[in-house]
Amino acid sequence: MPAAKKKAGRPAYSPSQYDRQQVEQMAALGIRKEDIAIVLGIHRNTLTRHYTDELARAGVQANAVIAKTLFNMARSGKNVAATIFWLKCQGKWRETDPKETADTVKEIKIVGGLPD
């Protein structure tokens, strides 16, 4: 019986744990997939195929860390810009239109604190 011929070309790609961490860190920093693939020495399609979870998770986790930092800055009362930004983005606050009358403005009463 003849021996099976070896397949020509590159061997199958197998990501290491280090590569997975590296991909997640680069993706969290907003580095493009094409550039991450260059660093790993693989094609963009290979990156997408083997690192789907890392690529999907990285941006969300990075945004969560930054949002927590911004929230803590706003909550401290020491950073007015962070407080205003948070309320405009998350609290749906907006600049007051000078044409609005005083009777259209509602009073807001804040009771208690927010959890960490």
Side-chain angles (χ1 to χ4, degrees):
M1 190 163 205
K5 290 187 178 183
K6 285 191 174 185
K7 201 173 184 182
R10 284 186 165 186
Y13 181 75
S14 178
S16 69
Q17 188 59 36
Y18 175 77
D19 290 339
R20 290 190 184 285
Q21 291 171 346
Q22 193 175 19
V23 167
E24 193 163 337
Q25 288 172 356
M26 287 188 283
L29 294 171
I31 297 173
R32 297 175 331 133
K33 289 180 185 178
E34 292 81 2
D35 295 332
I36 296 171
I38 290 170
V39 169
L40 295 177
I42 59 177
H43 191 274
R44 184 182 189 275
N45 294 343
T46 304
L47 175 77
T48 304
R49 185 179 316 117
H50 290 280
Y51 298 97
T52 304
D53 293 341
E54 290 80 6
L55 293 169
R57 183 175 46 234
V60 176
Q61 289 177 335
N63 287 340
V65 169
I66 300 302
K68 182 178 180 183
T69 301
L70 175 65
F71 177 78
N72 287 333
M73 290 170 66
R75 187 174 167 202
S76 75
K78 296 177 184 175
N79 191 324
V80 176
T83 305
I84 293 168
F85 182 78
W86 180 269
L87 288 172
K88 284 183 176 182
C89 293
Q90 298 297 321
K92 307 296 186 236
W93 284 29
R94 59 180 171 78
E95 298 292 327
T96 308
D97 186 349
K99 295 175 187 170
E100 287 183 358
T101 61
D103 56 52
T104 62
V105 178
K106 295 180 181 177
E107 184 178 326
I108 298 174
K109 183 176 180 182
I110 300 174
V111 180
L114 297 173
D116 282 337

